[in-house]
Amino acid sequence: MTFAPAPNPSRTQYVLDAVRHAILTGLLRPGQALVETELAAQFGVSKTPVREALKTLAGTGLVVMSEYKGVTVRTVDAAMAHEVYDVRLLLEPEALRRTVRRADLDAARDALLKADDSTDRAERSLANREFHRALYLPCGNPLLTRMLDDVRDQAALVTAVAWAAEPSWEREAAEHREILGLALTGDAQGAARALHAHIAGFVRRAFPEEDRA
């Protein structure tokens, strides 16, 4: 894998964005080692911005740092998936309920159209990520938004891994249209219930309870 040379002024941000995108689109696979010297050579930067980018990605849960194994892309199993989705189930429907009552959903509509027009799983996964964020971002509570942002990368990784094993985006897209339709009519409670069912149904299908460690 090769990358274009990092532009100035923020080499760290460039590396961070590129590695995150590579993980969420499957170019870097769960469990794959991320070697600082190799990444630095690929990006045309010193090891320092690579190290800082990997620390940030570890903080968001996309990579794991080990004293013995070094840095690897986080693997996804049933326990990890349910842990992340439990947080989403607790917070995201309430955020959407508040969004419906106070803001428009043009960004969510745009993300949904972008997902429908996507030509591959990577583009669709990223558009799916944008759609969900557009539902909670205008909720009016910055702390709630930050809490959901904190698990957003991990949720996207779960989705990418699940879709690689069993493509089910057409079903999820239909559920997205139902959620957005309810929200656009002003039915905050109905939209929140539909979102809860959507999140719970996905993780239950992709990572059944009996597979949990």
Side-chain angles (χ1 to χ4, degrees):
M1 185 189 316
T2 59
F3 298 92
N8 287 323
S10 179
R11 290 183 172 87
T12 297
Q13 188 63 46
Y14 173 78
V15 174
L16 173 63
D17 291 343
V19 174
R20 176 190 284 120
H21 187 273
I23 292 172
L24 296 181
T25 57
L27 292 175
L28 293 171
R29 300 177 303 280
Q32 184 169 343
L34 301 176
V35 182
E36 285 183 13
T37 53
E38 293 178 0
L39 289 174
Q42 289 168 357
F43 285 115
V45 300
S46 69
K47 290 195 297 182
T48 299
V50 172
R51 185 178 302 116
E52 293 305 312
L54 293 178
K55 286 179 181 178
T56 299
L57 291 169
T60 67
L62 280 187
V63 307
V64 176
M65 290 184 162
S66 168
E67 181 179 354
Y68 303 104
K69 296 182 179 180
V71 183
T72 57
V73 179
R74 184 170 185 176
T75 57
V76 175
D77 58 17
M80 178 270 194
H82 282 272
E83 178 181 296
V84 172
Y85 273 63
D86 281 350
V87 174
R88 294 187 65 195
L89 284 168
L90 287 169
L91 301 180
E92 203 166 324
E94 175 58 28
L96 174 58
R97 186 181 293 111
R98 296 182 182 201
T99 291
V100 171
R101 291 171 176 165
R102 70 186 305 275
D104 65 59
L105 287 160
D106 289 345
R109 186 189 289 108
D110 291 344
L112 190 57
L113 292 173
K114 183 177 179 181
D116 288 341
D117 292 339
S118 298
T119 57
D120 59 33
R121 187 177 70 241
E123 289 182 8
R124 193 173 288 110
S125 178
L126 294 173
N128 175 72
R129 188 170 179 257
E130 292 175 14
F131 174 78
H132 278 276
R133 190 168 194 262
L135 296 181
Y136 68 74
L137 185 61
C139 71
N141 185 321
L143 178 58
L144 179 54
T145 297
R146 287 197 299 273
M147 292 171 71
L148 285 166
D149 276 349
D150 283 346
V151 298
R152 190 164 72 112
D153 282 352
Q154 295 175 67
L157 181 59
V158 170
T159 300
V161 169
W163 282 355
E166 183 178 350
S168 60
W169 53 75
E170 291 184 359
R171 176 171 183 163
E172 275 84 67
E175 292 173 356
H176 285 174
R177 287 190 284 272
E178 177 189 4
I179 294 163
L180 184 59
L182 290 166
L184 290 173
T185 65
D187 185 355
Q189 297 294 341
R193 285 194 297 270
L195 178 58
H196 188 283
H198 166 70
I199 296 170
F202 176 82
V203 73
R204 185 171 58 247
R205 291 189 303 272
F207 298 92
E209 290 283 340
E210 59 266 26
D211 290 342
R212 296 179 69 173

